[in-house]
Amino acid sequence: MKPVTILSIESSCDDTSAAVIRDGLLLSNVIASQKVHEEYGGVVPELASRAHQQNILPVVDTALKRADVEKNELSAIAFTRGPGLLGSLLVGTSFAKGLALALNIPLVDVNHLQGHIMAHFVEPSEQYRQTIPSLQGIEIQHPRYPFICLLVSGGNSQIVKVEAYNRMTILGQTIDDAAGEAFDKCAKVLGLPYPGGPWIDRLAKQGDENKYPFAKPNLPGYDYSFSGLKTSFLYTIRDMMKAESVTAVEELAERIPNFKEDMCASLQKTIIDILLGKLKKASRDERITEVAIAGGVSANSGLRDALTDYGRRYRWNVYIPPFSFTTDNAAMIGQAGYYKYLDGDFCPIDAAPYAKTLI
Ligand code: KG4
């Protein structure tokens, strides 16, 4: 029987990515990150769309070459339809449509958030593992349905009950900022480059997590809020600047030993406490002990360690995706697309991308 070969495309934010999955095995996954946003301290949508236009052809071409797959061997094209930046999504959507039309093969649209959760089911081929040292020799555990997934990225923070690849229920979500946004915005206040999450992660390792107590929200249910924490972080710095009679964060850092490290460690601990507190409640109420994390923030080493610790304490089976599948990538889109393809769930050629949606 002819193998099922899916080319997938992800372009929802500032990473252009293409992957090839054959019969459920990941053959290639190419990601071009956009450096152009660094100097602005955040993603500039117009620049992101332009960079996607420049990147998409070489990225798709490289993904096919690395997979050793010809275009005429493709069974379908899967693409991220949303949520995300509309201009960025348009580039991937239009490219996917054009190629699917030219090759006369079906199109499969994928919800980016479902994609992040499906990252847990990506099965890298031997060929792909050879290219990623951290994947060599490790066995990837896939969660069993139903499981609870904490989905934390730059744009979302949700607790999702996952009963099947296409049956997901949001139990709770942020009512204002996402966890990744809190990392990025606080990092910006400290004068760290964008995206700030990985920088905070690194500095937090050398800091005292109990040095600065920041405000935690008190919301009922499983919803999150991070805007108060951002304000608390900002006001702590403002008050310290006043006390030290300085006008810049760098001056504070010169005067107070380990200032940035302690701020990062305290912030990271507060975010982790907020995230895992609600996750614990959801797991207990739903009586589900298969617990996973997904999304860019799931790369955070403090969150990974804390989740592993919770797993030990509460007897959860914990699933943490390999680093390569945490931030935006086309492999996860291909995995969700592969399942949809097997179910014959295709999308019309006039499908428009969407900026906002739920799972
Ligand atoms: O999933 P993702 O690549 O993009 C979205 O779909 O939003 O997530 C990006 C977010 C950014 O906010 C970034 O700062 C955060 O993930 N992030 C981290 C780490 N690595 C990436 N946050 C904390 N610690 C990290 N190590």
Side-chain angles (χ1 to χ4, degrees), residues 153 168 342:
S153 67
M168 301 188 183
L342 294 182

Side-chain angles (χ1 to χ4, degrees), residues 95-329:
F95 189 91
K97 286 178 180 177
L99 195 54
L101 263 180
L103 297 172
N104 197 23
I105 53 175
L107 259 184
V108 180
D109 61 329
V110 174
N111 176 314
H112 181 76
L113 304 175
Q114 282 180 335
H116 268 304
I117 295 175
M118 285 302 112
H120 279 284
F121 297 89
V122 172
E123 191 57 62
S125 62
E126 261 321 303
Q127 170 188 344
Y128 179 69
R129 282 173 189 262
Q130 300 293 327
T131 62
I132 310 282
S134 61
L135 286 179
Q136 281 169 29
I138 63 156
E139 195 187 331
I140 298 175
Q141 303 286 339
H142 308 301
R144 280 171 303 177
Y145 295 118
F147 65 94
I148 301 258
C149 187
L150 172 67
L151 172 55
V152 269
S153 67
N156 294 277
S157 297
Q158 304 179 326
I159 297 180
V160 184
K161 181 173 158 184
V162 188
E163 291 170 283
Y165 85 87
N166 55 359
R167 208 161 66 242
M168 301 188 183
T169 315
I170 297 173
L171 301 177
Q173 60 187 324
T174 181
I175 58 164
D176 42 51
D177 301 332
E181 211 174 328
F183 270 112
D184 295 340
K185 296 267 165 65
C186 293
K188 194 173 176 183
V189 173
L190 284 182
L192 300 172
Y194 177 84
W199 288 87
I200 293 198
D201 192 352
R202 228 166 290 150
L203 286 174
K205 291 196 173 90
Q206 298 138 39
D208 174 359
E209 62 180 22
N210 298 311
K211 184 75 181 263
Y212 301 107
F214 297 123
K216 283 188 201 160
N218 191 9
L219 283 180
Y222 310 114
D223 282 344
Y224 290 120
S225 165
F226 291 100
S227 63
L229 171 60
K230 256 178 19 190
T231 311
S232 171
F233 187 86
L234 194 66
Y235 283 6
T236 303
I237 292 184
R238 186 196 60 182
D239 294 347
M240 288 170 78
M241 293 208 314
K242 215 180 210 171
E244 293 285 332
S245 304
V246 297
T247 51
V249 168
E250 288 312 321
E251 288 176 84
L252 266 188
E254 276 166 24
R255 285 177 191 214
I256 302 171
N258 233 30
F259 167 69
K260 286 195 183 180
E261 290 82 353
D262 291 344
M263 285 295 276
C264 289
S266 304
L267 174 75
Q268 182 169 296
K269 178 185 189 297
T270 312
I271 294 178
I272 293 170
D273 284 352
I274 297 171
L275 289 174
L276 295 191
K278 294 279 168 119
L279 188 62
K280 185 176 123 194
K281 190 169 150 59
S283 151
R284 191 190 55 207
D285 295 352
E286 293 288 329
R287 296 170 188 245
I288 295 176
T289 52
E290 295 279 298
V291 181
I293 47 171
V297 179
S298 71
N300 184 268
S301 57
L303 179 60
R304 289 171 163 244
D305 291 348
L307 187 70
T308 307
D309 188 45
Y310 267 60
R312 244 179 260 125
R313 267 193 282 162
Y314 303 112
R315 293 168 189 256
W316 293 349
N317 292 323
V318 163
Y319 301 90
I320 299 174
F323 279 110
S324 15
F325 307 136
T326 53
T327 47
D328 290 347
N329 66 86

